[in-house]
Amino acid sequence: MNKYFGRYLQRICFTLLMICALAFSSFAQNQPEMADVMRSNGKIYVVVTVCLVILIGLFLYVWRIDRKISKLEKNA
Amino acid sequence: MRKSWWKILSFLLLVYTIIAGFLADVPRLFILNETIRNLYFHVCMWMGMMVLFTLSIIYSIKYLGKNDYRYDIYAKNYASVGVLFGLLGYATGAIWANYTWVTDQGQSLGAVLKEPKLIGAAIAVLIYGAYFVLRGSFIDMDKRARVSAVYNIFAFAMLFPSIWIIPRLVGSLHPGAPGSDSGNPALNYKDIDSRLRMVFYPAIIGWTLLGVWISTLKIRLELMKEKSLLHE
């Protein structure tokens, strides 16, 4: 069971890597610029990443408060 | 963590909101341009506020029926996070209006200050501010809980004329006014593009659940603090 799963995972990873490589190589043929994701489309992906970091940070914070309150509730 | 599936759902929906909200295709409109994406953030604050105030009034009514002090704590904390959402909605709306009504539409400051939607929203939030002033002015606990529960019903009732009805009757720059041929700009099917709705509705749910989560944290803390009063 585990072996099969591992083989599947390998295949999926390999396919994804091939797709990525193809995508990037086609970019590279057109322009000299190194066009990876974070630099494309007017750098909007940078903004998305920044917002996601803030959102994840906020949620981790609220989640920690939640856990602390749960602990207090158990002790009280 | 207690009953955490909806907290995770809130997180996932908001991650989706940010990714799709910034990257997905939106209608190309004059003046609004890319700011149409504020629909997923600014408008959701008001929707979340409405849900939180609704929860607050439900617990106020429950308090009046059962006289359980617990319900008073629920009502108070839902209202306070609701006011926070309202203030965030107001602040974001001010920024949005500055770059669409003032800069690009060339509206004068006088026209913006006369804007009925802004005045109405300010009145609504101030009425809820008075709810907390009222709460603070009582020493007797039972009296505070009862009077503020009744006041909360009044405050909720005032939301409807001040935010929803009057700005739609008189001329307004805000979407939803007569002249912009729409009823509720956020919920009208003719007014809002299906591409926007794909992100907008999940965003409302995500932000609202986050508000409810923060409220429950405040409620649980206060319940612990008032434990001696609750179990007498």
Side-chain angles (χ1 to χ4, degrees):
Chain A
M1 188 66 195
N2 232 345
K3 228 159 96 185
Y4 283 114
F5 181 69
R7 208 175 289 168
Y8 263 118
L9 209 65
Q10 251 179 354
R11 252 183 235 173
I12 291 168
C13 287
F14 183 72
T15 326
L16 280 177
L17 272 177
M18 284 308 287
I19 291 169
C20 287
L22 271 176
F24 285 127
S25 64
S26 66
F27 263 122
Q29 277 167 5
N30 296 335
Q31 318 144 332
E33 214 174 306
M34 309 292 274
D36 55 279
V37 173
M38 296 291 268
R39 288 178 204 284
S40 61
N41 268 8
K43 298 191 178 67
I44 185 68
Y45 294 102
V46 179
V47 182
V48 174
T49 317
V50 166
C51 288
L52 282 179
V53 168
I54 291 174
L55 187 76
I56 290 167
L58 278 176
F59 265 85
L60 281 177
Y61 185 67
V62 177
W63 180 67
R64 272 176 58 88
I65 295 173
D66 196 322
R67 277 217 338 210
K68 274 182 194 164
I69 294 175
S70 294
K71 252 182 220 164
L72 278 175
E73 280 172 340
K74 250 178 226 164
N75 293 339
Chain B
M1 290 284 282
R2 275 203 324 206
K3 287 177 203 149
S4 47
W5 68 267
W6 55 273
K7 297 168 184 171
I8 296 166
L9 178 71
S10 161
F11 175 68
L12 293 178
L13 286 176
L14 287 180
V15 167
Y16 168 72
T17 300
I18 286 188
I19 295 174
F22 282 117
L23 300 178
D25 204 23
V26 291
R28 288 165 185 270
L29 303 165
F30 289 113
I31 296 171
L32 276 176
N33 308 103
E34 293 277 11
T35 70
I36 188 69
R37 296 179 195 276
N38 275 347
L39 180 74
Y40 312 138
F41 304 99
H42 162 76
V43 184
C44 294
M45 291 295 115
W46 296 106
M47 297 288 169
M49 183 195 79
M50 279 309 292
V51 174
L52 291 167
F53 283 166
T54 309
L55 286 169
S56 175
I57 193 189
I58 288 171
Y59 282 110
S60 277
I61 292 168
K62 269 188 165 173
Y63 173 80
L64 290 173
K66 300 215 169 123
N67 268 330
D68 188 343
Y69 188 56
R70 214 175 292 260
Y71 293 138
D72 182 53
I73 292 175
Y74 280 55
K76 174 197 161 193
N77 286 304
Y78 278 124
S80 80
V81 179
V83 168
L84 172 72
F85 269 50
L87 291 175
L88 287 174
Y90 210 87
T92 50
I95 299 169
W96 197 0
N98 187 32
Y99 293 99
T100 47
W101 298 346
V102 180
T103 317
D104 287 9
Q105 232 178 18
Q107 297 286 346
S108 66
L109 186 64
V112 174
L113 289 177
K114 274 190 290 194
E115 172 55 39
K117 191 84 172 180
L118 295 192
I119 297 170
I123 291 171
V125 175
L126 282 174
I127 285 175
Y128 272 92
Y131 170 71
F132 294 101
V133 174
L134 184 72
R135 291 189 66 90
S137 63
F138 282 102
I139 301 167
D140 183 33
M141 226 176 69
D142 292 314
K143 214 179 255 175
R144 173 176 65 205
R146 200 165 57 245
V147 174
S148 53
V150 174
Y151 180 85
N152 196 13
I153 296 171
F154 160 76
F156 189 75
M158 276 304 289
L159 277 177
F160 291 88
S162 61
I163 298 184
W164 303 115
I165 302 172
I166 293 174
R168 306 249 157 88
L169 294 178
V170 294
S172 168
L173 297 167
H174 196 281
S180 70
D181 58 47
S182 61
N184 189 324
L187 301 172
N188 189 337
Y189 278 81
K190 282 183 215 149
D191 225 47
I192 180 170
D193 194 276
S194 63
R195 281 170 290 176
L196 294 174
R197 256 181 277 140
M198 287 272 292
V199 185
F200 180 49
Y201 293 162
I204 293 177
I205 299 169
W207 288 114
T208 305
L209 287 179
L210 178 62
V212 172
W213 187 4
I214 295 172
S215 318
T216 58
L217 292 181
K218 282 169 68 92
I219 290 165
R220 283 159 65 187
L221 263 184
E222 200 166 339
L223 284 176
M224 259 190 292
K225 223 166 40 181
E226 308 288 340
K227 204 160 204 180
S228 55
L229 293 171
L230 291 168
H231 290 292
E232 55 187 10

